Amino acid sequence: MRKPRSTLITVAGMAFAAALGLLGSIVGPSVGEAQAAPTGIRVSNGHVVEANGNEFVMRGINHAYTWYPEQTTAIADIAAKGANTVRVVLSSGDRWTKTSASQVSALIGQCKAAKVICVLEVHDTTGYGEDGAATTLDKAADYWIGVKSALEGQEDYVVVNIGNEPYGNSNAAAWTGATKSAIGKLRNAGLDHALMVDAPNWGQDWSGTMRDNAASVFASDPDRNTIFSIHMYGVYDTAAEVQDYLHHFTDNELPIVVGEFGDQHSDGNPDEDAIMATAQSLGVGYIGWSWSGNGSGVEYLDMANGFDANSLTSWGNRFINGANGIAATSEPATVYGGGGEPGGGGDTGSGTAPNGYPYCAAGSSSDPDGDGWGWENSRSCVVPGSSADSNGGSDEDTAPNGYPYCVNGSSSDPDGDGWGWESSHSCVVAGSSADS
């Protein structure tokens, strides 16, 4: 989101429905296996994983800290709703009051106390090239280097989102070079964290700039540890547009998250149902905008009324408790002792199968019917070396996307999108649109 000279948050992007044709799929080269930094949150084969190799799928909420530093319980309140990630708005001091190193340390402490991963972002870059008050990615990199003391040693808990929506719609082509330069600057300064980079065009990439250059940007990172973030507002008002964009990244083993989205917007009506369902089906992270504090006509983007965790808005209730929402799909980070089950559970400590499910710690003894699927810590697991231990759906009870077929068929899928819910996990209705 972008914020004007007033104290209220406003429109994230502009209406560019006419330009949606530019979002056609242009397949780039697969980057292959990432050579990621050895510690902390990192990228492996296009997926975000923790230091122990367990896949981590972000299910989070944005918090506008830099404008509301007095809201000291927001991170804990967000975590209590089931989020495993909080994206925190900071300022480099180029546009708003600088977030100091001590404040960054305190925020990381709040995230760790609440057992969520901190995605920290500099907001001053929003709309650079179109908004004259915005600053450059280079200046944002300088800020991160300046607060390096607060970040060091926190690689397991922190993702550095270099700059929010770093270009508007003017000269968006410059995004590629500026992003590569900022990544290089941070690596040369010794920051080993997973980095996150937002798309241009006010984050919505209607020009396809990030999509078409993501492979080269990823390859420019010597740690191969950069995550791409798309913001989905009015440009993404159909399921096809959402699916085409996210599939480009997953098909090419490039790590992607939806770093911001809402259920309505002034530049068009985003398809939040498609965003959340597609992210869930692809194992892609998403972070909704935002907990509270929106104004200037976009108050509807608040999830909580007046930062009150006991007063959810319709958007907040849908995002948290609705289909493919965080209450049902958020899995805690194992660095906090989570076992990958929504709502908690013990860590099996045995890693993750290619289809995204954890391996069964007890092996075949967890699989009495011998189909390769076991049940441990209140969730499905995969027996190592079994027919389920693959990406390709070789097991007859497993869809090609790696999820199990619904035993009860369409009766498990009340909204008819092809995705059901059985035995506390997602399943695919055989022959449905999700069965591919």
Side-chain angles (χ1 to χ4, degrees):
M1 291 291 288
R2 52 175 167 163
K3 184 171 183 290
R5 293 182 180 85
S6 71
T7 60
L8 298 175
I9 306 167
T10 67
V11 184
M14 296 187 173
F16 286 98
L20 290 177
L22 294 174
L23 288 171
S25 176
I26 301 175
V27 179
S30 174
V31 297
E33 184 172 355
Q35 301 299 313
T39 59
I41 297 169
R42 53 194 172 87
V43 174
S44 177
N45 295 317
H47 298 276
V48 179
V49 302
E50 295 184 73
N52 63 1
N54 274 27
E55 186 171 2
F56 180 69
V57 181
M58 296 183 190
R59 290 287 181 264
I61 295 175
N62 284 271
H63 167 46
Y65 168 81
T66 200
W67 307 304
Y68 300 100
E70 72 280 4
Q71 298 295 337
T72 56
T73 67
I75 291 174
D77 290 341
I78 291 169
K81 296 301 181 184
N84 63 20
T85 303
V86 179
R87 182 172 179 258
V88 186
V89 176
L90 309 182
S91 174
S92 60
D94 293 287
R95 188 167 184 181
W96 298 288
T97 302
K98 182 177 180 179
T99 310
S100 67
S102 62
Q103 288 174 302
V104 172
S105 290
L107 288 165
I108 295 172
Q110 289 178 33
C111 285
K112 292 167 75 172
K115 298 185 177 181
V116 293
I117 297 301
C118 250
V119 176
L120 303 176
E121 61 102 340
V122 163
H123 217 78
D124 305 57
T125 56
T126 307
Y128 177 75
E130 186 172 347
D131 188 331
T135 194
T136 64
L137 281 171
D138 187 64
K139 292 292 291 292
D142 288 339
Y143 169 79
W144 293 117
I145 294 168
V147 297
K148 180 181 175 183
S149 61
L151 300 171
E152 287 179 314
Q154 305 300 327
E155 292 84 358
D156 285 344
Y157 308 96
V158 173
V159 174
V160 174
N161 190 172
I162 302 176
N164 183 70
E165 302 178 0
Y167 279 84
N169 298 309
S170 301
N171 198 27
W175 173 91
T176 304
T179 300
K180 290 179 179 179
S181 179
I183 291 170
K185 192 170 193 176
L186 293 178
R187 295 302 186 214
N188 289 336
L191 268 74
D192 295 324
H193 302 70
L195 302 178
M196 184 179 288
V197 294
D198 284 7
N201 306 127
W202 300 99
Q204 298 199 76
D205 200 29
W206 60 263
S207 65
T209 301
M210 184 173 81
R211 179 198 63 205
D212 297 344
N213 294 282
S216 69
V217 170
F218 185 83
S220 75
D221 180 356
D223 288 349
R224 303 297 192 271
N225 201 18
T226 296
I227 304 162
F228 298 92
S229 175
I230 181 68
H231 294 182
M232 289 186 163
Y233 292 103
V235 169
Y236 298 91
D237 57 357
T238 69
E241 290 152 0
V242 172
Q243 293 163 3
D244 286 350
Y245 194 89
L246 295 180
H247 268 287
H248 173 84
F249 284 80
T250 59
D251 289 351
N252 288 282
E253 295 189 342
L254 291 163
I256 182 76
V257 302
V258 183
E260 290 186 17
F261 70 102
D263 65 338
Q264 54 182 305
H265 212 272
S266 55
D267 70 341
N269 184 16
D271 190 340
E272 72 279 2
D273 292 337
I275 293 167
M276 297 169 77
T278 305
Q280 178 66 11
S281 69
L282 295 176
V284 165
Y286 65 65
I287 309 173
W289 186 278
S290 70
W291 183 236
S292 199
N294 292 283
S296 294
V298 295
E299 291 85 356
Y300 49 76
L301 288 172
D302 280 1
M303 295 186 187
N305 292 301
F307 290 92
D308 183 354
N310 296 315
S311 179
L312 294 180
T313 65
S314 59
W315 167 223
N317 188 59
R318 188 269 170 271
F319 180 85
I320 293 167
N321 299 313
N324 301 299
I326 61 173
T329 68
S330 177
E331 301 179 355
T334 60
V335 72
Y336 295 119
E341 168 62 15
D347 181 18
T348 66
S350 54
T352 306
N355 60 19
Y357 280 81
Y359 283 122
C360 301
S364 59
S365 63
S366 300
D367 175 29
D369 62 359
D371 67 351
W373 288 91
W375 186 258
E376 292 178 352
N377 298 313
S378 301
R379 73 159 298 169
S380 295
C381 60
V382 171
V383 176
S386 69
S387 58
D389 190 12
S390 67
N391 269 323
S394 59
D395 181 67
E396 63 181 3
D397 295 323
T398 308
N401 59 19
Y403 282 81
Y405 283 120
C406 301
V407 174
N408 298 315
S410 59
S411 63
S412 300
D413 175 27
D415 62 357
D417 65 351
W419 288 92
W421 186 256
E422 292 178 351
S423 302
S424 301
H425 63 73
S426 295
C427 59
V428 171
V429 176
S432 70
S433 59
D435 190 10
S436 64

